[in-house]
Amino acid sequence: MSLTRILLADDHTLVRAGLRSLVEGFDGFEVVAEAGEGREAVRLSRLLEPDIALIDISMPGLNGLDATTLIIRDAPKTRVIILSMHSTENYVLEALRIGAVGYVIKDAAVEELEQALRAIDRGERWLSPAVSHHLLDEYLRMIRGQSVTTSGLKLLTRRQREILQLIAEGYSTRDIAERLSISIKTAESHRAQVMERLDIHDIAGLTRFAIRVGLISPELLSNIKK
C-alpha cells in the first residue's frame, strides 16, 4: 500500500521535528519534505506535489495563507491543512475561502492531528473542535447583532498582504522589489496602496497592524531584527 506523502512547513525547527515524529508514527503516512518559510513551502509543493501540506500561518517572507493560495494554484493535487495558534473567525474563514481543507489548532491533542490527516486523506474536510465552537459562537453573536469587526486584511489583495508582511519584517522598498522581481516604482505603488486602504501611514503602524492580525508574530519580528 502506498503511503500518503506529507509536506511540513513551520519556521520553528523543533516544531517541525515534533510534527515529523508524530506524523511518521501514524500508519500510512510519511514526511517527504520540510520547509522553514512560505516560499520554500511553495517551491517544494511544486516540485514534489505532496498529497497533504501542513502549513503554519506565521512564517517569514510569505505567510501561510498566501503560501496556501500559491500551493493550491501551482500544485492542485496537494490538499492544505492550516496549522495555527489562532482560532478566530477571520483566520478560519480566510483559510477556507482560499481553499484549505483543514484547520488544526497547534495546542490540539495528538489524536486530533491524526484524525485530521485521515479525514483529509479520505477527501473530507476537518476543523479543530475548538475552531468549530468558536465559529458557532461568532455566528450566534452575529445573529444577535453583536458581530465582531472583520479583519482589515480583507481590504488587501494577496500581493498587498505580501508587501505588508515584508514591510513589517523590515525590508526596504528596494529589497521588496528584488525579492518579488518587480520594479522599485511598482513596490512603492503597492506600499502606498496598502497605507491608503488601511489608513495607516507609517511603517511602525503597519508593523503593529501586521502583528495584531497575526500576519507576523512578535517573536518572528524579534528574531528578524537580531
Side-chain angles (χ1 to χ4, degrees):
M1 182 180 68
S2 61
L3 299 177
T4 299
R5 302 163 64 249
I6 308 293
L7 165 69
L8 304 177
D10 191 292
D11 60 314
H12 294 87
T13 304
L14 290 179
V15 171
R16 292 201 310 275
L19 285 171
R20 174 183 280 272
S21 178
L22 288 174
V23 170
E24 293 189 337
F26 304 149
D27 289 340
F29 296 93
E30 66 172 338
V31 175
V32 294
E34 297 181 18
E37 58 94 26
R39 294 189 186 283
E40 180 67 1
V42 174
R43 186 189 71 81
L44 289 171
S45 294
R46 290 169 179 160
L47 178 66
L48 301 173
E49 294 187 331
D51 299 302
I52 298 174
L54 284 167
I55 306 290
D56 182 27
I57 284 185
S58 297
M59 291 189 292
L62 186 70
N63 66 82
L65 292 176
D66 290 334
T68 295
T69 300
L70 295 177
I71 290 170
I72 291 171
R73 184 193 71 186
D74 298 341
K77 292 182 180 179
T78 299
R79 289 154 291 174
V80 177
I81 300 175
I82 294 293
L83 290 171
S84 178
M85 296 171 58
H86 308 285
S87 61
T88 55
E89 176 191 23
N90 289 325
Y91 293 102
V92 180
L93 292 182
E94 180 64 10
L96 297 177
R97 186 189 68 80
I98 63 178
V101 294
Y103 197 103
V104 176
I105 303 301
K106 280 192 170 182
D107 62 0
V110 172
E111 294 79 8
E112 185 177 315
L113 177 60
E114 182 176 7
Q115 290 169 359
L117 288 173
R118 296 201 182 282
I120 302 309
D121 199 33
R122 292 192 300 266
E124 302 170 6
R125 295 176 180 269
W126 176 272
L127 293 180
S128 285
V131 169
S132 300
H133 294 159
H134 187 85
L135 287 180
L136 177 59
D137 290 342
E138 291 293 342
Y139 174 72
L140 292 175
R141 277 196 290 270
M142 181 182 69
I143 62 177
R144 292 169 184 161
Q146 302 172 358
S147 179
V148 296
T149 302
T150 58
S151 169
L153 283 178
K154 293 182 178 179
L155 299 173
L156 305 180
T157 65
R158 182 185 64 80
R159 175 64 91 184
Q160 288 167 348
R161 286 199 304 268
E162 197 172 10
I163 295 289
L164 170 61
Q165 178 172 348
L166 292 173
I167 290 172
E169 290 180 0
Y171 290 96
S172 68
T173 301
R174 182 180 296 277
D175 292 335
I176 292 172
E178 290 178 356
R179 285 180 66 87
L180 301 181
S181 300
I182 59 178
S183 69
I184 293 177
K185 184 176 180 180
T186 299
E188 289 174 343
S189 176
H190 282 309
R191 184 170 73 167
Q193 290 168 1
V194 168
M195 288 182 169
E196 180 179 355
R197 291 197 176 192
L198 296 178
D199 195 23
I200 300 173
H201 301 283
D202 61 273
I203 301 301
L206 291 177
T207 302
R208 287 193 297 271
F209 174 83
I211 292 173
R212 188 168 68 249
V213 300
L215 200 58
I216 64 172
S217 66
E219 176 189 344
L220 174 62
L221 190 62
S222 64
N223 288 339
I224 290 171
K225 292 187 174 182
K226 285 181 181 179

